[in-house]
Amino acid sequence: MPCHNGQVTGDGRLVLAGAPIGQAGDVSPRLREVLESADVVAAEDTRRLRRLATELGVEIEGRVVSYYDQNEAARAKELLETLKEGRTVVVITDAGMPGVSDPGYRLTRLAIDEGITVTALPGPSAVTTALAVSGLASDRFCFEGFPPRKPGERARRLASLAAEERTMVFFESPRRLASSLAAMAEAFGPDRQAAVCRELTKTYEEIRRGGLGELAEWAAKDVKGEITLVVAGYAPGEGEPDLDELVAEVDRRVAEGVQRRLAVAEVAKQAGIPKRELYDLVHRRSPTP
């Protein structure tokens, strides 16, 4: 077992500790124990850790160090050396599980490569909590983290997910929520069902469910708080154009004086199908003008 008097017995151990996402009372007795006994506690925000320890009535005897996005690469190497000395290092983030859009992956990978024991204290996770309360299918899902900030990159990422059949879970900043929902409505369709989970487990928890277009309009009213977004997966056949309606639209435009080839090109572009495919269909079903 590790101790704090400079003497080390046993092998090093990395513990990934799940932190409460809103209520301190959600922590497990094991988290209390490991915070009190660890040689080093690497925290995403040391002030939040101290606040949590106070709320729990826990006295952290080991060394507390910061471990966040900007110093993760350098700090991971330092912590690896501590693990090699046979000490216990606990990684804890502001909320949820380390490594899930939070620091933790780098050190975990380094420790595994060195043959050091890596274990976890299961705890609250915004990903699975949001999935559970969303009302959307949860038998198969994927976690997509934060969408890209730049509109062009975000559009390309979402376009690549348009045919994803699993339920998708995203994190998003409240400042970008409205624009991300609008981009999703464009990529997935405004009627694709989703749930915006705000301030999960906290006093002002709110779950908004509905179509992406409807949610985008709601989010434009300045939403605040921690956001987890759950989006239904693609259902085969969803959003596929009605070919009869497309042919009728081409015929309507031709009747108004638009050249058939131009009408086909315009309608095909709006429907997102190859114009050759629509032209062949129109040619078979419509009389020659």
Side-chain angles (χ1 to χ4, degrees), residues 103-118:
Y105 168 76
R106 290 177 185 269
L107 180 57
T108 299
R109 187 67 258 172
L110 290 173
I112 291 171
D113 290 344
E114 290 289 337
I116 293 170
T117 298
V118 177

Side-chain angles (χ1 to χ4, degrees), residues 27 47 65 81 101 110 124 134 145 172 174 185 215 244 257:
V27 303
R47 291 171 299 180
V65 299
E81 294 305 313
S101 280
L110 290 173
S134 69
E172 188 51 291
L215 291 173
D244 289 333

Side-chain angles (χ1 to χ4, degrees), residues 3-275:
C3 55
H4 307 293
N5 59 8
Q7 311 222 339
V8 179
T9 60
D11 298 326
R13 187 172 65 126
L14 173 61
V15 182
L16 305 173
I21 60 177
Q23 299 290 334
D26 290 338
V27 303
S28 68
R30 288 183 63 209
L31 179 59
R32 297 171 184 267
E33 293 171 6
V34 79
L35 288 178
E36 290 179 332
S37 63
D39 295 294
V40 178
V41 179
E44 185 177 11
D45 186 325
T46 57
R47 291 171 299 180
R48 288 198 182 189
L49 172 64
R50 297 291 189 190
R51 191 179 310 129
L52 175 63
T54 298
E55 291 178 2
L56 298 178
V58 169
E59 184 175 345
I60 301 176
E61 298 182 5
R63 184 164 59 97
V64 174
V65 299
S66 62
Y67 184 55
Y68 52 94
D69 288 338
Q70 286 70 29
N71 76 350
E72 183 179 8
R75 184 72 82 191
K77 294 178 181 178
E78 296 174 17
L79 293 172
L80 179 64
E81 294 305 313
T82 300
L83 288 165
K84 287 181 178 180
E85 294 171 359
R87 300 183 185 276
T88 294
V89 173
V90 173
V91 172
I92 187 168
T93 61
D94 291 347
M97 287 298 297
V100 182
S101 280
D102 278 322
Y105 168 76
R106 290 177 185 269
L107 180 57
T108 299
R109 187 67 258 172
L110 290 173
I112 291 171
D113 290 344
E114 290 289 337
I116 293 170
T117 298
V118 177
T119 188
L121 291 182
S125 167
V127 175
T128 51
T129 302
L131 184 66
V133 301
S134 69
L136 300 174
S138 58
D139 54 334
R140 297 177 66 233
F141 72 94
C142 58
F143 175 59
E144 290 295 326
F146 284 89
R149 296 188 179 192
K150 296 182 179 179
E153 293 179 8
R154 180 174 57 198
R156 287 190 291 273
R157 173 75 62 79
L158 295 177
S160 72
L161 294 171
E164 173 58 65
E165 296 184 15
R166 295 171 295 180
T167 298
M168 295 168 281
V169 184
F170 299 84
F171 288 160
E172 188 51 291
S173 159
R175 297 187 303 277
R176 294 188 296 274
L177 178 62
S179 60
S180 283
L181 285 168
M184 289 178 183
E186 183 173 348
F188 305 152
D191 296 326
R192 179 79 70 89
Q193 292 298 294
V196 177
C197 304
R198 188 180 72 84
E199 295 288 271
L200 283 170
T201 78
K202 300 177 184 177
T203 302
Y204 298 105
E205 175 181 280
E206 180 180 17
I207 314 296
R208 277 274 180 168
R209 304 175 181 88
L212 285 167
E214 171 192 348
L215 291 173
E217 292 182 8
W218 164 77
K221 300 173 184 177
D222 191 24
V223 177
K224 292 180 170 49
E226 299 279 341
I227 302 294
T228 305
L229 175 60
V230 187
V231 182
Y234 169 74
E238 174 189 55
E240 292 183 1
D242 185 312
L243 297 179
D244 289 333
E245 290 184 4
L246 297 184
V247 171
E249 176 62 17
V250 171
D251 290 343
R252 185 188 66 78
R253 297 190 186 202
V254 170
E256 292 177 351
V258 179
Q259 290 185 349
R260 174 176 285 183
R261 287 186 177 277
L262 180 57
V264 167
E266 292 174 346
V267 174
K269 182 178 180 180
Q270 291 177 355
I273 66 172
K275 63 181 180 181

